[in-house]
Amino acid sequence: MAAHLKKRVYEEFSKVVQVAPEEVPVKKLRLSKPSKSAALHIDLCKATCSTDALQYLLQFARKAVEVESVEGVIRILLEHYYKETDNSVRLKIVSLLGLLSKTQGFSPDCIVDDAINALATEKSHQVLAQLLDTLLVIGSQLPDNLSVRQRLIEMACKHLADTYFGVRNKCLEVLGRLGTVDSPLSRDGEGHASLRLRDVQSVISDYFGDQEPRVRTAAIKAMLQLHERGMKINQIIYDQACRLLSDDYEQVRSAAVQMVWVLSQLYPESIVPIPSSNEEIRLVDDSFGKISHMVSDGSWMVRVQAAKTLGSMLQVSHYFLEQTLDKKLMSDLRRKRTAHERAKELYASGEFSSGRKWADDAPKERLDTNAVNLIASGACGAFVHGLEDEMFEVRIAAVEALSLLAQSSPGFAEKCLDFLVDMFNDEIEEVRLQSIHVLREISTNIILREDQLDTVLAVLEDSSRDIREALHELLCYTNVSTKECVQLALLELLKNLNKYPTDRNSVWKCLKFLGSRHPTLVLPLVPELLSTHPYFDTPEPDMDDPAYIAVLVLVFNAAKSCPTMSSLFSDHTFRHYAYLRDSLSHLVPALRLAGRGGGRGVELADSAAGSGSVESAQVFLQDSLNRINTIHSLEAPGSQDLLDFTIRDLQRLGELQTELAGAADFCATYLRCQLLLMKALQEKLWNMAVPLCLKQNAMATAAARQILEETYKLEFVYSGLESRQVATVHHVRLQARALQLVLTARARKGLEPLITSCDKFLQEVDSFQRLFLTELPHFQESFVGKLLELMPRLSSCKTVELIKILQSTLRQSSMLPLTLPQQLHRATATIIEPTGESDNPLKFTTGLVVALDIDATLEHVQDPQTRVKVQVLYPDGQAHVITPKPGDFRKPGPDRHRLITQVYLSHSAWTDPGHVEVSLLLAYSSSTSSKPGWADSTDSLPPPEAAIEGTIPFSKSVKVLIMPKPARR
């Protein structure tokens, strides 16, 4: 009995053990964030007065709200809105509703009904205006929901009769931003849709005459909003817009100027009547005259806008254009009675000339009251008024408008030349600089007279470096009329060079273009410029004189287009040409100079002249890449030699063809990375124990580090890269990371750092997959493609197995073929000052500082204000990195920047002078984006800046001799 009972108990226990895992489910924990709506509800319930509630709402506005919590928060806010009696709290609640409806991923159509119901019951005008603003935000978030837009437009029309101007403003804004453009507002057919379109414009135009100026301004802006959204504004409102140009309030006049301009662009050829006459003119001419009149407005802001607007009216007749430069009304813009009309009037009155008075019937210049002006007298000389305005902003706007109009009309460019040259003497530097830039833009249409050139050259005395360099740039592209003008320009530039030696490169460049543009004018000046004589030998000038080099640059560039000029050269001029051709090849062109009698002459030609065209160089570059793409394995015999020869060829190609320097350097750097990787993965390194190949292991570690540095150069120094090239660079970087990881594991430096490094590497592989998802098909057979196939296994395997997989995959990987984008440029920097040629040290007292002027040109640098740094390296190894101010950067042309700044040097006392090295660095950083929040109030914190990861030298270093002296006691 006991045995049988034991058996029964054992069987029952076995059943329980077998069933237990199925009957008792495992409890899973779910981590959840506290509800935002509940927290807000608790806070608002705790508020004892409206001030506390407002404070809680302000604190809540600074916090981000997740998409899933938005609807609950909105319900809580609406519940408290209906309970609240204080207007300021209700206003803040409505404002929060508008901000929450902007949350990405949330559809605000669920709160439309509540907001419209609140609009119908609200009594406060301020809260009404805020409700309309919230509804406008909701309507903007639902562009495809026509029924919601129709309801919002109806609500806006209903509240247009409100007595508070803020409500009327918001209603007009709703009509302007939500008024239907193409789609009908209801299903009544196309005819009704067009009626609705007309209704929107007529409703808005009714408020052009509102008693409140802010409402009039809002009505014009709403009409402009309709235009921006694609609706064609009716011409019938032109007269209303013109009347608003004489409004008492400057905001209305400013908006009216913009409205008149829009209509002039929509209906330029329409005919409009001139008031109180039977004459008619084009609408664009009439609007041009009316806007010209606004250049004399009492508000300087209206004057600025009117002047800027004139510059974009390119369809205006040349009569009206020329009238803006003359304060006296021209006869072309006056309508006088003809002789027949005057004779008819005399015949009808019965009066004839008696003959007793001399010329009593002669026509007189003075117009009678029946004469008709086609343009308002106040609009005459609009640009003259603008250029003489007391506010420099108006003068700058007038100069810019002159530039735009002169570029489209060569005749007008010639007439406005004197006015622009006069602006070179303006008291404000910004106006002078803008005038020089404008004259540079229209210089192809004009030829400077000697008196005009004299006024232009007077600006070379300006103390501002920017002004002088802008004038040098202007003279590069200016045409002059006589050889006296060329001589005058040369003399003034040499004076400039003597007074400001730092302008040397700019003056030389200016004379280069001046000589190449006027070879026939330079030819008769050559004997005087070179001090040559037909019978006597003259002394040889000093080649270290910058003024003599400037003269030679002018003469040699003129000689390129004038072959007979070389017969006027002395023997030493030929030698100087050879010297300058080597030292200043960017300023001195290639010349074929015929030899002189007695065989003493030489024939000099540019060695690079026959080096081939850009097209043949591009073919050579592509052939080199195709040849490299045949390497299927990095360990194939002959692969290293082929890479070595190709890298050498590409480097030489970049030196010969500057147009392809960026692409050639990029390819050479990429191939150098592959060569380093190939050498690091040699057979003997991986088949021997680490103690037996310490030197090879150290070389492989250094190679991996160098590959990483080169990949950062490839990614951040070159501009114009496409996604394919960036992915290829990241692929090489992953190979270098994997090589570092394998070498670290072989060194056996500890398991914990290795595990951390493995985790980081797997994160980088995952990041590569997310960033370059569209490019993954091109990487299927590559190193990263094989890793992505093994990713589930890599995530769960042990560290030792992961290292073995990485090692085998790395050694079996093949080189990716490289494709080049259309435009590829390398960021470069050239330090002009200091030159590093001076043997005189900069002396300063220990503990104090000395300022060192830096002048450098930057090519193809993206965002230099945040990326370019100046590094100063002292003899004791100290390195200081200085960030220039944003105002130190100028942009003289596309893809070109100029850095003019000062760095301050300081050090302890030295016994002898020493050199410090100055160079420019390019900082790079990973783009860190902060999580977007829904709150856009001013209280929200700014996003954190991207952290700088490293710097890349991209200029040659310049050595400067300094001498810190001990302080005197």
Side-chain angles (χ1 to χ4, degrees):
M1 184 71 181
H4 181 69
L5 185 60
K6 285 182 180 180
K7 185 177 180 181
R8 287 284 306 273
V9 170
Y10 178 76
E11 290 177 354
E12 292 294 331
F13 179 75
S14 301
K15 290 180 182 179
V16 170
V17 171
Q18 292 176 1
V19 174
E22 297 179 0
E23 292 181 351
V24 183
V26 178
K27 292 185 178 179
K28 296 181 180 179
L29 297 177
R30 183 170 63 89
L31 298 177
S32 61
K33 297 180 180 180
S35 171
K36 296 277 184 180
S37 57
L40 178 63
H41 178 71
I42 294 173
D43 287 340
L44 292 176
C45 290
K46 289 192 299 184
T48 57
C49 60
S50 59
T51 305
D52 293 342
L54 193 60
Q55 192 66 33
Y56 287 130
L57 290 172
L58 289 172
Q59 292 175 0
F60 180 77
R62 300 187 184 99
K63 303 174 184 176
V65 179
E66 295 78 13
V67 180
E68 56 271 12
S69 305
V70 170
E71 189 169 355
V73 171
I74 286 176
R75 293 301 163 197
I76 295 296
L77 288 174
L78 286 172
E79 180 183 344
H80 284 271
Y81 172 82
Y82 292 122
K83 296 178 182 177
E84 187 61 50
T85 57
D86 188 85
N87 290 340
S88 59
V89 177
R90 293 208 310 278
L91 183 68
K92 186 59 182 177
I93 289 175
V94 174
S95 173
L96 288 176
L97 291 178
L99 291 175
L100 286 168
S101 62
K102 295 181 184 178
T103 305
Q104 193 171 5
F106 172 71
S107 179
D109 51 357
C110 59
I111 60 173
V112 173
D113 293 333
D114 294 299
I116 291 179
N117 293 335
L119 194 67
T121 58
E122 183 58 54
K123 302 299 181 184
S124 170
H125 295 294
Q126 287 83 1
V127 180
L128 268 176
Q130 187 60 52
L131 276 169
L132 285 166
D133 186 71
T134 298
L135 286 171
L136 177 59
V137 171
I138 294 172
S140 302
Q141 299 293 319
L142 302 171
D144 300 327
N145 195 329
L146 294 179
S147 61
V148 171
R149 296 168 73 92
Q150 175 62 36
R151 292 178 63 189
L152 296 183
I153 291 174
E154 291 174 356
M155 294 301 298
C157 293
K158 180 180 177 182
H159 286 83
L160 272 173
D162 196 279
T163 57
Y164 180 57
F165 76 93
V167 176
R168 300 204 297 278
N169 284 357
K170 285 300 175 183
C171 291
L172 290 169
E173 188 177 354
V174 169
L175 291 177
R177 292 180 58 181
L178 301 182
T180 306
V181 179
D182 294 324
S183 56
L185 301 181
S186 62
R187 300 180 181 178
D188 297 342
E190 294 183 359
H192 187 70
S194 63
L195 177 64
R196 290 299 185 110
L197 289 176
R198 287 197 302 271
D199 284 344
V200 172
Q201 293 193 31
S202 61
V203 168
I204 293 176
S205 61
D206 288 343
Y207 287 84
F208 283 0
D210 194 274
Q211 61 181 358
E212 172 62 48
R214 286 168 285 192
V215 177
R216 296 198 294 272
T217 306
I220 301 174
K221 289 183 177 179
M223 194 71 78
L224 293 172
Q225 189 68 242
L226 290 178
H227 167 70
E228 291 176 4
R229 293 176 52 232
M231 182 183 293
K232 191 171 184 179
I233 307 300
N234 293 328
Q235 187 183 345
I236 57 175
I237 69 169
Y238 177 71
D239 291 335
Q240 291 177 280
C242 291
R243 285 195 296 271
L244 290 174
L245 290 174
S246 56
D247 197 275
D248 293 337
Y249 293 87
E250 65 174 276
Q251 292 88 354
V252 180
R253 298 197 301 273
S254 178
V257 167
Q258 198 171 355
M259 188 75 249
V260 170
W261 176 82
V262 167
L263 291 169
S264 72
Q265 303 304 304
L266 290 176
Y267 308 99
E269 301 299 329
S270 297
I271 303 300
V272 295
I274 297 177
S276 67
S277 74
N278 296 326
E279 297 296 325
E280 295 179 338
I281 59 172
R282 296 191 309 155
L283 189 145
V284 65
D285 292 336
D286 186 61
S287 60
F288 184 83
K290 287 181 167 55
I291 295 177
S292 297
H293 183 69
M294 302 305 293
V295 178
S296 304
D297 192 85
S299 168
W300 71 269
M301 297 181 67
V302 177
R303 298 200 299 271
V304 168
Q305 185 173 7
K308 288 182 178 179
T309 305
L310 288 178
S312 58
M313 303 182 73
L314 306 179
Q315 297 171 302
V316 69
S317 303
H318 67 278
Y319 300 117
F320 288 84
L321 267 183
E322 294 170 3
Q323 181 61 69
T324 57
L325 299 176
D326 194 347
K327 292 182 180 180
K328 187 177 179 181
L329 188 64
M330 298 178 182
S331 60
D332 291 329
L333 295 178
R334 292 196 297 234
R335 171 68 174 89
K336 294 192 245 183
R337 291 177 298 164
T338 64
H340 292 287
E341 291 173 342
R342 292 197 301 270
K344 183 179 179 181
E345 182 182 353
L346 286 172
Y347 178 77
S349 63
E351 296 179 2
F352 291 92
S353 174
S354 62
R356 294 180 180 178
K357 294 182 180 179
W358 177 255
D360 60 348
D361 60 344
K364 297 180 176 59
E365 179 66 16
R366 185 177 59 84
L367 297 180
D368 54 22
T369 55
N370 294 324
V372 177
N373 294 343
L374 303 185
I375 186 172
S377 58
C380 297
F383 282 124
V384 179
H385 291 295
L387 295 175
E388 296 175 350
D389 198 277
E390 61 178 350
M391 304 296 292
F392 80 93
E393 294 90 348
V394 182
R395 301 200 295 274
I396 289 178
V399 167
E400 292 173 350
L402 275 177
S403 168
L404 295 173
L405 293 172
Q407 289 179 49
S408 62
S409 174
F412 183 70
E414 193 172 345
K415 287 183 171 60
C416 71
L417 180 58
D418 286 327
F419 297 94
L420 286 175
V421 171
D422 286 341
M423 297 306 294
F424 286 12
N425 299 319
D426 195 274
E427 61 182 359
I428 302 296
E429 178 181 338
E430 190 176 351
V431 179
R432 300 198 300 271
L433 192 60
Q434 187 64 32
S435 304
I436 296 172
H437 289 322
V438 165
L439 196 57
R440 155 74 182 87
E441 292 170 359
I442 66 173
S443 59
T444 55
N445 297 330
I446 57 175
I447 297 177
L448 286 179
R449 301 189 310 269
E450 189 170 353
D451 60 313
Q452 294 170 337
L453 181 64
D454 197 23
T455 306
V456 169
L457 293 174
V459 185
L460 289 174
E461 300 289 333
D462 200 295
S463 60
S464 170
R465 185 171 190 163
D466 292 337
I467 295 287
R468 298 196 306 272
E469 291 187 352
L471 194 66
H472 297 157
E473 189 79 14
L474 167 63
L475 292 175
C476 288
Y477 300 98
T478 299
N479 300 312
V480 296
S481 53
T482 62
K483 67 182 181 65
E484 286 77 12
C485 292
V486 175
Q487 192 171 20
L488 177 64
L490 176 62
L491 292 175
E492 292 298 327
L493 286 169
L494 293 181
K495 288 181 183 177
N496 175 202
L497 187 60
N498 184 44
K499 186 174 183 180
Y500 301 103
T502 55
D503 291 354
R504 181 180 62 182
N505 290 281
S506 182
V507 170
W508 287 351
K509 177 188 171 186
C510 173
L511 289 169
K512 169 190 173 182
F513 285 93
L514 190 65
S516 61
R517 293 179 74 90
H518 306 92
T520 56
L521 300 180
V522 175
L523 178 60
L525 299 173
V526 169
E528 182 181 353
L529 295 179
L530 298 181
S531 301
T532 58
H533 194 274
Y535 307 116
F536 303 106
D537 283 339
T538 54
E540 182 176 348
D542 184 10
M543 277 302 295
D544 292 332
D545 184 8
Y548 177 62
I549 295 177
V551 173
L552 289 182
V553 168
L554 173 74
V555 172
F556 289 148
N557 281 277
K560 185 178 181 181
S561 304
C562 187
T564 60
M565 194 179 293
S566 60
S567 61
L568 303 175
F569 293 171
S570 303
D571 289 344
H572 60 259
T573 308
F574 290 95
R575 295 195 304 271
H576 295 169
Y577 168 78
Y579 171 75
L580 291 179
R581 180 63 190 150
D582 288 337
S583 59
L584 298 173
S585 57
H586 62 289
L587 294 174
V588 179
L591 301 177
R592 232 171 244 288
L593 303 177
R596 302 188 59 171
R600 292 184 300 157
V602 291
E603 185 173 340
L604 301 175
D606 186 15
S607 60
S611 61
S613 62
V614 178
E615 291 77 11
S616 60
Q618 288 177 336
V619 173
F620 177 80
L621 176 61
Q622 193 59 47
D623 290 343
S624 301
L625 291 180
N626 294 337
R627 187 167 58 248
I628 288 298
N629 291 340
T630 59
I631 301 177
H632 297 292
S633 174
L634 296 176
E635 296 183 355
S639 298
Q640 294 189 20
D641 294 337
L642 180 58
L643 282 175
D644 271 325
F645 293 143
T646 307
I647 291 171
R648 183 195 62 189
D649 292 343
L650 291 175
Q651 289 175 340
R652 181 59 180 157
L653 177 65
E655 295 172 359
L656 293 177
Q657 289 290 348
T658 55
E659 295 86 353
L660 297 177
D665 291 344
F666 182 84
C667 296
T669 306
Y670 174 76
L671 296 180
R672 194 180 303 114
C673 292
Q674 296 295 338
L675 183 60
L676 289 171
L677 190 63
M678 185 182 298
K679 292 179 179 179
L681 294 174
Q682 289 178 348
E683 185 76 23
K684 60 181 180 181
L685 175 63
W686 305 98
N687 294 336
M688 299 172 62
V690 175
L692 300 179
C693 57
L694 290 176
K695 183 178 179 181
Q696 289 84 354
N697 202 66
M699 290 175 59
T701 305
R705 191 183 306 112
Q706 186 176 352
I707 292 172
L708 286 176
E709 294 175 358
E710 296 290 349
T711 57
Y712 284 115
K713 289 182 183 178
L714 289 173
E715 184 176 1
F716 296 105
V717 173
Y718 295 88
S719 59
L721 295 178
E722 298 172 354
S723 178
R724 178 82 174 273
Q725 288 81 38
V726 178
T728 304
V729 172
H730 278 253
H731 178 267
V732 178
R733 191 177 300 160
L734 279 178
Q735 288 179 303
R737 298 281 191 201
L739 179 60
Q740 280 186 331
L741 202 56
V742 174
L743 292 172
T744 304
R746 286 169 60 86
R748 296 194 177 110
K749 295 182 179 180
L751 191 59
E752 286 296 330
L754 189 61
I755 294 175
T756 305
S757 301
C758 289
D759 292 339
K760 288 183 179 179
F761 179 78
L762 292 178
Q763 290 175 5
E764 289 188 16
V765 174
D766 184 61
S767 176
F768 181 92
Q769 183 180 13
R770 288 185 287 103
L771 288 175
F772 305 106
L773 190 61
T774 57
E775 304 294 337
L776 288 181
H778 303 291
F779 294 87
Q780 288 181 353
E781 301 299 325
S782 65
F783 169 73
V784 72
K786 295 176 182 177
L787 287 184
L788 290 175
E789 292 177 1
L790 300 171
M791 198 63 183
R793 179 182 171 188
L794 295 177
S795 302
S796 57
C797 69
K798 295 182 179 180
T799 305
V800 177
E801 186 180 357
L802 173 63
I803 297 298
K804 290 182 179 179
I805 294 174
L806 287 180
Q807 180 175 337
S808 60
T809 308
L810 194 58
R811 296 191 60 195
Q812 295 171 6
S813 61
S814 60
M815 191 175 71
L816 279 175
L818 183 64
T819 59
L820 291 178
Q822 293 294 330
Q823 294 290 333
L824 186 60
H825 300 286
R826 177 188 172 94
T828 58
T830 305
I831 299 178
I832 302 172
E833 294 290 340
T835 59
E837 300 172 352
S838 176
D839 294 332
N840 297 323
L842 287 173
K843 297 181 180 180
F844 61 97
T845 304
T846 301
L848 301 180
V849 295
V850 61
L852 180 65
D853 292 323
I854 303 291
D855 183 4
T857 57
L858 313 176
E859 302 278 348
H860 304 290
V861 179
Q862 307 293 327
D863 193 18
Q865 287 83 358
T866 57
R867 297 184 61 194
V868 175
K869 315 290 180 185
V870 181
Q871 176 179 269
V872 180
L873 184 62
Y874 290 92
D876 58 356
Q878 293 185 38
H880 295 170
V881 178
I882 300 102
T883 301
K885 295 179 293 185
D888 294 338
F889 292 91
R890 282 86 167 167
K891 190 173 183 181
D895 296 325
R896 289 183 59 222
H897 289 85
R898 185 80 177 273
L899 172 62
I900 301 176
T901 186
Q902 281 187 334
V903 296
Y904 297 100
L905 310 179
S906 182
H907 210 277
S908 56
W910 297 354
T911 56
D912 294 314
H915 285 98
V916 295
E917 294 187 8
V918 180
S919 60
L920 297 181
L921 307 178
L922 197 65
Y924 61 88
S925 60
S926 60
S927 55
T928 57
S929 57
S930 58
K931 185 177 179 181
W934 59 273
D936 58 355
S937 61
T938 56
D939 299 326
S940 58
L941 296 175
E945 295 183 358
I948 294 177
E949 292 182 0
T951 54
I952 303 169
F954 74 118
S955 75
K956 293 182 180 178
S957 60
V958 176
K959 292 185 177 180
V960 180
L961 197 62
I962 65 171
M963 177 58 189
K965 299 182 297 182
R968 293 181 180 179
R969 297 186 179 275

